[in-house]
Amino acid sequence: NAGVTQTPKFQVLKTGQSMTLQCAQDMNHNSMYWYRQDPGMGLRLIYYSASEGTTDKGEVPNGYNVSRLNKREFSLRLESAAPSQTSVYFCASAHTGANVLTFGAGSRLTVL
Amino acid sequence: AQSVTQPDIHITVSEGASLELRCNYSYGATPYLFWYVQSPGQGLQLLLKYFSGDTLVQGIKGFEAEFKRSQSSFNLRKPSVHWSDAAEYFCAVGGTGNQFYFGTGTSLTVIP
């Protein structure tokens, strides 16, 4: 059972470059999430998708875009990376109503 | 507004000693409460959850937590800590909607 798979695990970007973080889940979950984790800040929600075809902003959406490509996949895009976006990014998924998040292993992004 | 407070940024305990990690929440409706653990370089793993019923819930790895509505608390406990319990612990709150709110985490160091 793969669970939630994120790629890439590590990425270094220069300021202004763009990139997409990929996330896929094989648990037939309806809801998917992107969080960022920064020291002393805990996990902060960037965007979430309650179901295929819908996305909503979380606490810190600025500078990010998302796509819920299908039920399995939820990607996070940085159009013009900034050093403030240096972070560890986690994708998670959940059944609607079950309210238990399953997390991926994380993607460490450094923006120089 | 929904929020989670973990007042202890870092805790150090001796192996074999008891442990209590504090969590207070603010949530406008009946909360669903969670504790997650994150080992270094890993994603978050669910330790236990409270949805309803018995206010003392048991989780994996010998952890338990008690929901106290009057104190808006959901403290995590373990009678005897093992060196392998060294990790970061996150308390989270959710509800019948699709959003989850995390605390800033408590880092646990275990002294042999």
Side-chain angles (χ1 to χ4, degrees):
Chain A
N1 291 332
V4 178
T5 303
Q6 294 180 230
T7 56
K9 293 191 186 313
F10 301 94
Q11 184 72 51
V12 179
L13 293 176
K14 294 181 179 178
T15 297
Q17 288 184 318
S18 62
M19 77 157 298
T20 300
L21 298 176
Q22 307 285 356
C23 176
Q25 53 91 10
D26 62 0
M27 297 169 287
N28 202 35
H29 285 170
N30 293 317
S31 302
M32 296 187 74
Y33 305 78
W34 276 106
Y35 287 89
R36 60 178 289 173
Q37 183 180 26
D38 303 289
M41 304 290 285
L43 277 80
R44 293 180 293 170
L45 182 64
I46 305 171
Y47 272 93
Y48 69 101
S49 170
S51 61
E52 185 179 350
T54 69
T55 60
D56 287 283
K57 295 178 180 179
E59 184 183 358
V60 288
N62 291 345
Y64 305 95
N65 287 302
V66 291
S67 296
R68 183 74 183 267
L69 305 170
N70 48 55
K71 191 171 186 179
R72 290 188 63 249
E73 298 172 289
F74 188 41
S75 63
L76 178 71
R77 183 162 178 83
L78 287 70
E79 292 290 352
S80 179
S84 61
Q85 294 177 304
T86 293
S87 187
V88 180
Y89 292 85
F90 287 99
C91 179
S93 68
H95 276 301
T96 302
N99 282 286
V100 175
L101 288 169
T102 300
F103 283 87
S107 299
R108 183 175 293 275
L109 174 65
T110 301
V111 183
L112 303 175
Chain B
Q2 295 86 347
S3 66
V4 176
T5 301
Q6 293 180 246
D8 303 306
I9 296 173
H10 185 248
I11 284 182
T12 300
V13 299
S14 298
E15 191 168 16
S18 63
L19 172 70
E20 182 169 24
L21 302 182
R22 296 183 290 165
C23 173
N24 293 96
Y25 68 89
S26 173
Y27 196 76
T30 301
Y32 296 164
L33 295 159
F34 310 84
W35 276 99
Y36 286 85
V37 60
Q38 183 182 31
S39 297
Q42 304 295 314
L44 280 74
Q45 179 185 19
L46 180 70
L47 275 178
L48 48 77
K49 62 184 184 289
Y50 171 79
F51 285 177
S52 65
D54 192 344
T55 56
L56 184 64
V57 294
Q58 303 295 322
I60 62 172
K61 306 184 181 186
F63 285 92
E64 66 178 26
E66 185 172 12
F67 171 54
K68 294 185 177 180
R69 184 185 299 274
S70 62
Q71 298 177 20
S72 297
S73 69
F74 188 58
N75 293 348
L76 182 71
R77 301 193 294 250
K78 187 169 185 178
S80 178
V81 171
H82 188 262
W83 64 266
S84 61
D85 293 324
E88 185 128 21
Y89 292 81
F90 291 93
C91 181
V93 64
T96 55
N98 292 299
Q99 294 207 40
F100 300 79
Y101 300 88
F102 284 80
T104 52
T106 298
S107 177
L108 175 66
T109 297
V110 180
I111 299 174

